[in-house]
Amino acid sequence: MPESVIAGIPVHFPFEPYDVQRAYMEKVIICLRDGTNGVLESPTGTGKTLSLLCASLAWIRTRQSEHQQQMIKLKATSKDGGTGPGGDLSELAMTVGKANNWGVPKVIYASRTHSQLNQAMRELKRTAYANMRSVVLGSRDQLCIHPEVMKEQGNSNKVNLCKLRVHSKTCTFQLRVESKKDHPDFRGPSIMDIEDLVRVGQKLKMCPYFASKELVAQADITFMPYNYLLDPKARKANKIELGNTIVILDEAHNIEKICEESASVQIRSSDVAMAIEDVTHIMKVFTSGESQDAGADEPKDFTLDDLTLLKEMLLELEKAIDAVVVDNPTDGTTYPASLMYELLGKANFTYGNCATIVALLDKLVQYLMVASQHMTIRKGGTFTLLSDLLTIVFANKESIMGKVHLSFKVHVQVEESNKQTGAKGGAAPQGKQQGWLSKGNITTTGASSKAAKIVNFWCFNPGFGMEQLLNTQVRSVILTSGTLAPLKPLIAELAIPVAQHLENPHIVDQSQVYVKIIGTGPDRQQLISNFKNRDNPKYISSLGQTILNVSRIVPDGLLVFFPSYPMLNKCVDAWQASGLWADISCKKPIFLEPRGKDQFTSTMEEFYQAIRDSKGAVFMAVCRGKVSEGLDFADRNGRAVIITGLPFPPLKDPKVILKRRYLEANRTKENQLLSGQEWYNLDATRAVNQAIGRVIRHRNDYGAILLCDSRFQDASQVQQLSKWIRGHLGARPQSSPFGPIVRELRQFFKHAEETMKQPDVREEEQPLTNVCKVEEDEPLPVIPTIKREPGSNATFRKANESAIKVEMANSINSWTPADYASAAGRTLGHAAPNAMDFMSRLDSNVSSIDFNCSGAAGSGLVKIHKRERSSPSANDSVATQATKKRYKLVDNIKTEPSSQPAVKVAPESRADLLRELRSVINQEQFKEFGKVLIEYKSGTYEKFESLMAVLLVVLPAPKMRYLLVGMRRFIKNEHKDEFDVRVASLN
């Protein structure tokens, strides 16, 4: 690999570094050399991660080389000095030096998610430093391979059961760590990500979670998520030592929020009440001897006196919280930070006994974890919440309480009542179980005159968490991201001394990026997604028309980002109802960002596959969502990004209001903090900058950025966009008419495809002839369906599945005109699709087209057969482009009528099903159905009852029964059995 000398350090880079990469690496090396901090911005696609790793590890390797030379001199001194005083000193120096890694700092590389860490580790494998020792730290949820632990639902349950098995020495995987940790399969690879650790752990039957910690001491670089580093609880649990380390915080555009959240905590009245109930249950077990009768072997390293004292404290805490006055039940009431310490003080939770009580709570969690295996009881989740509360609140030392009062606020809200919980686990009637064995008041409404409350202990000063990090004697802290600007307010909020800062330009040429502000849609309707306009049907329609027109021009992948999930769902519902959704999906299949982890992974895989298999795809997502943060849409996966609005935080959210007040109260000329309004605007623009960064991913990439909100032309918004984006918009950016943009966009992509180097075809892509080849005796392949998951409140999930069927016609053997007509979004009897499009289907590897379905009984029926090659090959597929094809028309091929009457089946597509439903019921009924369906998606069992009641009213007739059965696809998994029973009872 080429070697470049940067700031006096030889750096091996995979290729000759560009100027922006050289400037970036120089700043990194200066920070490490001088032991100072840096804030470095370099746009996405400039090789930021690669530059960061190469520069830091090159400096580490140089230091290691220098200390190796010192070690050789020490050995020589020891040999010459013999056993004299000089020799003893040399031996001592060697021992101390070896124990302290010879004074060479270690690197801790932290990012927001494990997917981002995996990307960084893949970059490291490309470098000359791939042989340096590295390790990644993950959670038990990711690394545990014990089958019993992995059955547990929820991360906290897995953690507690793991701790219990390790404590009782019943986890064979953990017990093998000591004997297997030096195995070549484990020590051999220098770079192992989460998947590698799990694979090796399963092979050696050794716990990957505990084994990975064995690698930390010898690692040159350790990868971990932010919370492991910034959260004092996680840092302590993972035994992370920060003295003389280099801390790199990549993707640091979210660092302020993460610092604030790591120092914040919440407790509910219901949490305290359930903790009282759990303590009471354990006390009953102690006094009645139930556990002995059950043959349990729970660890009981606590006494009945401990439980009695804890219950008294919790009862006092519950009473103190109940006494807090909430003047505004709707929005809550804000108090000074001192209220939290007063509430805990009234219950006798203090700095002096905090550690003891936290230890007791941990023991109780382990006890309940075992007890839950053979009796019906909660697993101690409320004890974990209380432990976190005490740990976070009392982490702030008494000596800095003045700063705590400035940085924190207590916000008390009324807790929403839970009727089901109240009915099942309510307080005992008066006169029953009063005294030390009573369960306390677990109800939130009803007999209690005091409403249950939520007490929030919120931090608004990110510098508070960063100061705790700096106090650990780290050598350097480097904050870096593609979207940090403006840097001064960031540095001011974090309150860290910064010696080096950088705002890099982009690595691509002006001709590789097309940036425009679209202020009006094709119908000249203003595009502005503000609060007043977002419910305007004309605006939503115009935005859909804009996306439709852009999807016709943009090749391959198109990303569309919305300000919020509600706005995304609102647009999807409106477009599906109006037919715009079907029009867009005829051009490109549509994917929606799901919220579930498993669904997200599968949806992304299907999106990438659709890009490879078809003419493109549209991915609709949300700013600040998973798609907008760190995912790679390079080359064909993302040729354009549409930003539909500015994702401002909720204006009336109590946390947003208090953050703005904090900034206004603490802002001075000296500290250069933003005003509340400036912070509010910047928070939205940073989210936009992150979403924009998904497209241009490397030097030879190209793409379009379309800002579909007229507010982007405001000077205040433009100045907060990334520096390289501002360069494309010019000094005075103005929105452009839609017509010229369409022409310019078409010319841009035409020019880019002619002049830019196109990406190589991925290795996993197979030739079309191989994909379509079907053995003679094999059944026809099933046409794949593509998932599209709206948000949790969306009415619809899929639309126009058959449109994808048309676009995948090359992978099927037969189809009918009905398939083609419905795929084009029409029904038979209406205008037919374009004849040339129809005939183009014959240019694929289709063996037959059945016209029998469209002819009347007794009419002449025709079937077209296409002669297939017996052994298609790549060369043949090229040759056939210039050869004529033979088609044979066969008369009178009739299908025998079935003796049984055909059973009518609901359409497969959700959108088609809803259209058919709309055609058979009146408008008022359809509105009522839509309302209860939306409520059901985010509601409880009661909403299921409401939905069933409406369905039985609007679909009462037997001839509509097929539609009622089709509604099963909208029913949640936990309600499907009951749905089936009710439908079956109607027959």
Side-chain angles (χ1 to χ4, degrees):
M1 289 187 179
E3 179 183 295
S4 303
V5 178
I6 301 174
I9 300 294
V11 179
H12 294 273
F13 209 67
F15 48 86
E16 188 63 32
Y18 300 112
D19 291 342
V20 293
Q21 294 167 338
R22 187 179 289 273
Y24 186 91
M25 288 191 283
E26 182 178 9
K27 293 288 186 181
V28 172
I29 291 173
I30 291 173
C31 285
L32 306 190
R33 182 193 66 196
D34 299 342
T36 55
N37 306 319
V39 176
L40 313 176
E41 181 188 71
S42 194
T44 303
T46 55
K48 167 177 59 68
T49 302
L50 188 63
S51 303
L52 190 59
L53 292 170
C54 288
S56 57
L57 293 177
W59 185 83
I60 292 287
R61 182 174 281 180
T62 301
R63 288 292 302 270
Q64 288 174 340
S65 177
E66 293 172 355
H67 285 284
Q68 283 175 356
Q69 296 299 320
Q70 292 181 8
M71 185 174 69
I72 292 171
K73 291 180 180 179
L74 282 171
K75 284 184 177 179
T77 303
S78 177
K79 187 175 181 181
D80 295 340
T83 58
D88 291 339
L89 287 173
S90 297
E91 285 292 336
L92 178 62
M94 288 180 64
T95 304
V96 173
K98 189 173 183 180
N100 293 316
N101 196 35
W102 300 101
V104 178
K106 295 176 180 291
V107 176
I108 292 180
Y109 186 104
S111 194
R112 183 168 174 257
T113 64
H114 272 286
S115 63
Q116 291 167 344
L117 293 176
N118 286 341
Q119 288 180 24
M121 297 182 82
R122 284 197 296 270
E123 291 286 343
L124 181 56
K125 290 177 181 178
R126 295 175 50 203
T127 70
Y129 307 98
N131 60 343
M132 296 186 74
R133 295 162 298 185
S134 67
V135 64
V136 60
L137 296 182
S139 65
R140 288 175 172 85
D141 190 36
Q142 295 165 314
L143 291 171
C144 180
I145 58 175
H146 194 294
E148 294 300 321
V149 175
M150 294 312 295
K151 285 180 184 177
E152 290 292 327
Q153 296 296 318
N155 187 52
S156 61
N157 287 341
K158 291 176 183 176
V159 169
N160 292 323
L161 185 55
C162 171
K163 287 181 178 178
L164 179 66
R165 290 194 172 275
V166 170
H167 180 71
S168 60
K169 299 188 184 301
T170 56
C171 178
T172 56
F173 299 99
Q174 192 270 339
L175 293 174
R176 289 193 188 98
V177 171
E178 189 62 31
S179 61
K180 298 283 189 178
K181 65 181 181 181
D182 294 322
H183 194 280
D185 288 347
F186 182 63
R187 291 285 183 175
S190 58
I191 302 175
M192 286 195 296
D193 58 20
I194 294 290
E195 289 76 15
D196 295 329
L197 286 170
V198 170
R199 186 166 54 251
V200 172
Q202 290 172 336
K203 179 180 179 181
L204 300 179
K205 293 182 170 52
M206 170 186 71
C207 175
Y209 176 77
F210 286 98
S212 63
K213 298 181 185 301
E214 297 291 330
L215 298 175
V216 173
Q218 301 299 322
D220 298 308
I221 180 169
T222 303
F223 295 87
M224 66 182 70
Y226 280 153
N227 61 308
Y228 284 34
L229 189 64
L230 299 173
D231 188 337
K233 302 190 305 295
R235 202 160 62 222
K236 181 180 178 181
N238 289 281
K239 299 178 181 178
I240 297 171
E241 298 293 334
L242 295 178
N244 194 34
T245 58
I246 297 160
V247 174
I248 296 173
L249 299 172
D250 198 3
E251 302 298 336
H253 51 276
N254 286 321
I255 196 66
E256 302 112 309
K257 289 182 182 177
I258 293 169
C259 286
E260 290 172 0
E261 289 169 2
S262 66
S264 302
V265 71
Q266 179 189 86
I267 191 72
R268 297 170 179 262
S269 293
S270 56
D271 296 331
V272 180
M274 284 191 287
I276 294 170
E277 189 178 55
D278 289 342
V279 173
T280 304
H281 187 97
I282 299 172
M283 292 168 72
K284 284 184 176 179
V285 171
F286 262 58
T287 55
S288 64
E290 288 179 25
S291 59
Q292 285 83 352
D293 296 339
D297 56 351
E298 301 94 340
K300 299 186 184 66
D301 41 1
F302 50 85
T303 66
L304 191 59
D305 290 341
D306 293 333
L307 297 174
T308 305
L309 180 61
L310 177 62
K311 181 173 179 178
E312 289 176 359
M313 296 171 74
L314 292 175
L315 287 168
E316 289 298 323
L317 179 60
E318 184 182 43
K319 188 186 301 182
I321 293 174
D322 283 343
V324 177
V325 178
V326 181
D327 295 325
N328 186 343
T330 304
D331 299 326
T333 303
T334 303
Y335 289 92
S338 57
L339 177 68
M340 178 61 77
Y341 294 92
E342 291 172 9
L343 293 175
L344 294 173
K346 288 178 181 178
N348 199 29
F349 291 103
T350 63
Y351 280 97
N353 63 16
C354 171
T356 304
I357 294 171
V358 167
L360 173 61
L361 291 170
D362 290 343
K363 292 173 186 176
L364 293 177
V365 169
Q366 291 192 19
Y367 173 84
L368 290 177
M369 184 58 65
V370 175
S372 65
Q373 305 295 321
H374 54 80
M375 66 175 72
T376 304
I377 190 173
R378 283 187 292 265
K379 297 179 180 180
T382 53
F383 293 151
T384 302
L385 291 173
L386 286 168
S387 177
D388 291 345
L389 171 73
L390 297 176
T391 302
I392 291 176
V393 171
F394 291 112
N396 304 317
K397 298 178 181 178
E398 291 181 272
S399 58
I400 59 168
M401 289 308 293
K403 190 172 183 180
V404 170
H405 291 156
L406 288 175
S407 304
F408 288 79
K409 293 292 181 185
V410 172
H411 187 75
V412 185
Q413 299 165 289
V414 174
E415 185 176 358
E416 292 183 4
S417 62
N418 187 332
K419 294 180 181 178
Q420 287 182 327
T421 303
K424 293 179 181 178
Q430 281 189 331
K432 292 186 179 181
Q433 288 194 345
Q434 296 300 315
W436 71 286
L437 280 181
S438 67
K439 295 181 179 179
N441 177 25
I442 197 171
T443 58
T444 57
T445 57
S448 174
S449 60
K450 299 180 178 66
K453 300 178 180 71
I454 304 171
V455 182
N456 301 287
F457 187 64
W458 285 335
C459 176
F460 296 101
N461 180 5
F464 208 88
M466 191 57 64
E467 185 180 16
Q468 292 181 338
L469 181 65
L470 294 174
N471 288 341
T472 59
Q473 306 302 314
V474 295
R475 179 184 178 89
S476 294
V477 176
I478 296 177
L479 305 175
T480 185
S481 178
T483 54
L484 289 177
L487 300 186
K488 283 186 178 180
L490 173 68
I491 296 169
E493 271 220 273
L494 294 176
I496 59 173
V498 174
Q500 302 294 328
H501 50 84
L502 175 71
E503 283 186 78
N504 252 342
H506 213 295
I507 203 169
V508 296
D509 295 331
Q510 290 273 341
S511 61
Q512 292 173 242
V513 186
Y514 178 84
V515 184
K516 284 292 180 181
I517 300 171
I518 302 179
T520 55
D523 54 359
R524 298 185 181 180
Q525 174 72 31
Q526 185 185 23
L527 298 179
I528 179 168
S529 182
N530 58 16
F531 181 75
K532 294 180 181 178
N533 201 45
R534 65 182 56 167
D535 292 325
N536 182 355
K538 291 183 179 179
Y539 159 70
I540 293 176
S541 175
S542 184
L543 180 62
Q545 291 288 349
T546 301
I547 295 171
L548 172 62
N549 280 276
V550 171
S551 69
R552 291 169 173 161
I553 302 169
V554 174
D556 303 312
L558 170 63
L559 308 178
V560 183
F561 287 101
F562 292 80
S564 64
Y565 282 106
M567 191 63 200
L568 167 62
N569 298 333
K570 189 178 297 181
C571 290
V572 170
D573 292 348
W575 296 338
Q576 287 183 342
S578 67
L580 266 173
W581 181 272
D583 292 338
I584 297 171
S585 60
C586 282
K587 299 297 176 184
K588 298 178 187 288
I590 305 172
F591 296 82
L592 293 179
E593 178 177 19
R595 291 188 173 184
K597 181 180 177 182
D598 296 334
Q599 290 177 330
F600 182 81
T601 303
S602 61
T603 302
M604 290 307 306
E605 289 172 355
E606 290 166 358
F607 171 78
Y608 293 139
Q609 187 63 41
I611 296 294
R612 294 192 291 268
D613 291 347
S614 68
K615 63 183 180 184
V618 178
F619 204 117
M620 296 185 179
V622 173
C623 292
R624 299 190 188 88
K626 292 180 181 178
V627 172
S628 69
E629 295 280 346
L631 280 190
D632 188 353
F633 291 90
D635 300 318
R636 292 180 57 201
N637 291 331
R639 284 300 182 206
V641 58
I642 294 176
I643 306 295
T644 65
L646 285 160
F648 290 108
L651 185 62
K652 295 185 179 181
D653 184 275
K655 206 168 186 179
V656 173
I657 294 171
L658 292 173
K659 176 67 177 182
R660 296 177 69 168
R661 287 180 187 170
Y662 164 80
L663 290 169
E664 293 293 349
N666 293 277
R667 184 186 182 207
T668 64
K669 291 183 179 179
E670 291 74 23
N671 62 24
Q672 294 184 320
L673 286 175
L674 293 172
S675 67
Q677 186 61 42
E678 287 170 340
W679 168 84
Y680 187 73
N681 293 339
L682 179 60
D683 193 77
T685 313
R686 276 195 178 145
V688 168
N689 288 335
Q690 273 299 113
I692 289 173
R694 298 312 95 210
V695 177
I696 307 297
R697 306 298 295 181
H698 58 81
R699 177 68 182 86
N700 296 316
D701 207 352
Y702 62 89
I705 298 165
L706 305 175
L707 307 174
C708 295
D709 193 312
S710 58
R711 291 174 293 177
F712 278 110
Q713 58 191 329
D714 296 344
S716 60
Q717 295 299 336
V718 172
Q719 289 305 311
Q720 292 177 342
L721 290 171
S722 293
K723 187 177 180 180
W724 68 276
I725 294 289
R726 298 200 303 268
H728 287 274
L729 289 173
R732 293 184 178 180
Q734 296 293 325
S735 62
S736 303
F738 190 76
I741 287 178
V742 170
R743 290 193 297 272
E744 292 173 8
L745 195 60
R746 187 176 283 112
Q747 292 170 359
F748 168 78
F749 282 111
K750 182 180 179 181
H751 180 263
E753 288 171 1
E754 291 173 352
T755 59
M756 293 297 300
K757 178 185 176 182
Q758 297 302 311
D760 297 331
V761 178
R762 295 171 182 254
E763 292 181 4
E764 61 266 30
E765 284 192 43
Q766 298 178 349
L768 185 60
T769 52
N770 294 339
V771 174
C772 298
K773 184 178 178 181
V774 180
E775 296 299 329
E776 197 172 82
D777 296 332
E778 287 185 357
L780 298 182
V782 178
I783 299 169
T785 58
I786 295 178
K787 285 185 181 179
R788 299 174 194 84
E789 285 285 339
S792 58
N793 295 328
T795 309
F796 308 98
R797 186 176 179 182
K798 295 181 181 178
N800 248 358
E801 287 293 333
S802 49
I804 297 139
K805 189 174 180 181
V806 169
E807 297 312 322
M808 295 183 175
N810 285 346
S811 64
I812 62 177
N813 289 66
S814 68
W815 51 278
T816 71
D819 292 335
Y820 182 71
S822 62
R826 302 173 179 86
T827 57
L828 291 173
H830 289 75
N834 184 281
M836 291 307 297
D837 288 343
F838 178 84
M839 296 303 294
S840 70
R841 299 303 160 192
L842 301 178
D843 200 26
S844 61
N845 201 26
V846 174
S847 61
S848 66
I849 306 174
D850 189 359
F851 286 83
N852 295 335
C853 64
S854 59
S859 62
L861 303 177
V862 179
K863 196 168 194 175
I864 297 180
H865 289 277
K866 179 179 147 187
R867 185 171 297 173
E868 287 187 286
R869 296 184 298 276
S870 58
S871 57
S873 65
N875 293 333
D876 290 337
S877 66
V878 175
T880 55
Q881 294 177 5
T883 61
K884 294 182 178 179
K885 297 180 176 61
R886 295 182 180 182
Y887 301 95
K888 183 180 179 182
L889 302 182
V890 184
D891 288 342
N892 298 323
I893 300 178
K894 298 182 180 180
T895 55
E896 293 297 328
S898 172
S899 58
Q900 298 292 331
V903 178
K904 201 166 185 181
V905 179
E908 183 179 343
S909 163
R910 289 191 176 199
D912 291 342
L913 173 61
L914 292 169
R915 286 196 190 96
E916 189 159 341
L917 175 66
R918 193 172 189 175
S919 67
V920 299
I921 63 177
N922 62 48
Q923 187 174 1
E924 290 301 320
Q925 288 177 325
F926 189 78
K927 282 184 179 180
E928 179 65 18
F929 163 74
K931 178 182 176 183
V932 296
L933 182 60
I934 291 174
E935 291 174 348
Y936 168 67
K937 285 295 182 182
S938 59
T940 58
Y941 180 79
E942 293 178 356
K943 300 301 181 184
F944 169 69
E945 291 288 347
S946 302
L947 177 63
M948 288 301 302
V950 171
L951 286 175
L952 294 175
V953 169
V954 301
L955 299 172
K959 65 180 181 180
M960 297 182 182
R961 194 63 43 79
Y962 74 100
L963 290 175
L964 181 61
V965 172
M967 288 297 151
R968 189 179 191 274
R969 69 198 66 180
F970 294 101
I971 304 301
K972 297 177 182 177
N973 290 333
E974 60 264 31
H975 300 146
K976 283 187 176 178
D977 290 341
E978 185 168 350
F979 176 85
D980 294 340
V981 171
R982 295 197 188 187
V983 172
S985 67
L986 299 175
N987 296 327

